[in-house]
Amino acid sequence: MHVPKPPSPPPPRHSGIIGPVSGGHINPAVSFGLFCSGDCSFLKALFYSVFQCLGAITGAAIHLVTTPEDNRSGMGVTGLSSGVTQWQGFVIEAVITYVLVQAVLALAEEGFAGKLAVGFSITACHLAFINYTGSSMNPARSLGPAVVQNDFLNVWVYLAGPLVGGAVAGVVYRTLFRPAKKDADAKNSYDF
């Protein structure tokens, strides 16, 4: 007698416009954090990051050409506030990106409430530190305007800080906070 196999569980549902395409990857620091946590392959994180940066450069270029010349001051270039050193900015960007990536790892698949909590973590970090560094938390977001405006002053802070914060969050989540899962559940929806 043939016993049918139970149906496979449905694929994870991603909300939003880009969720079904990439799982919602729009930030190289988050992609790198997911790689460090074991939730995303190296090649996938690398390709996501490259295209996130290309998208940011394209968006900054569109912003530039569609903005009247009289209104082009700054044009989204992130910068350190007066009195904030590069190292202070680096630490701030690393810490707030750590909070963001830790929230994504712990809460992103918890439905609407989890996504809302991730949004609140971003809001809290912005409110606390926007006056110091602009609260980028996203290397692509800072790289795009820097390339288009040819303004690379302190850009390393916005590339290295978030990547370090994302990596630390991924490693900490992987070693300390990941819930125990069965082997079948070890791969989650961030990778296929």
Side-chain angles (χ1 to χ4, degrees):
M1 176 179 204
H2 179 268
V3 178
K5 290 182 180 180
S8 299
R13 262 184 85 197
H14 297 287
S15 59
I17 296 170
I18 60 172
V21 177
S22 69
H25 287 244
I26 58 173
N27 182 338
V30 174
S31 297
F32 189 52
L34 291 170
F35 164 71
C36 291
S37 73
D39 292 317
C40 186
S41 71
F42 174 75
L43 283 177
K44 188 177 281 190
L46 177 66
F47 283 119
Y48 282 160
S49 296
V50 167
F51 284 99
Q52 290 157 3
C53 290
L54 290 174
I57 293 166
T58 302
I62 292 169
H63 186 214
L64 180 68
V65 300
T66 59
T67 301
E69 285 190 40
D70 297 347
N71 297 333
R72 289 187 179 173
S73 176
M75 293 295 294
V77 174
T78 48
L80 301 174
S81 293
S82 177
V84 177
T85 69
Q86 290 181 341
W87 287 104
Q88 288 171 327
F90 169 82
V91 171
I92 289 169
E93 287 294 319
V95 168
I96 61 180
T97 305
Y98 172 89
V99 171
L100 163 63
V101 175
Q102 198 62 250
V104 168
L105 288 165
L107 302 167
E109 292 194 354
E110 299 298 323
F112 177 75
K115 290 174 178 67
L116 190 62
V118 170
F120 281 137
S121 74
I122 294 168
T123 302
C125 289
H126 275 295
L127 291 174
F129 293 103
I130 196 164
N131 290 332
Y132 300 103
T133 65
S135 301
S136 174
M137 296 185 278
N138 184 336
R141 180 263 173 267
S142 292
L143 183 65
V147 168
V148 170
Q149 294 290 318
N150 195 28
D151 184 350
F152 295 98
L153 181 66
N154 302 320
V155 76
W156 76 269
V157 168
Y158 299 101
L159 301 179
L163 290 173
V164 167
V168 171
V171 170
V172 167
Y173 185 78
R174 182 179 199 165
T175 57
L176 297 178
F177 298 129
R178 180 176 305 251
K181 295 182 179 183
K182 296 179 183 177
D183 287 341
D185 296 331
K187 281 284 198 189
N188 69 28
S189 66
Y190 292 119
D191 205 8
F192 47 82

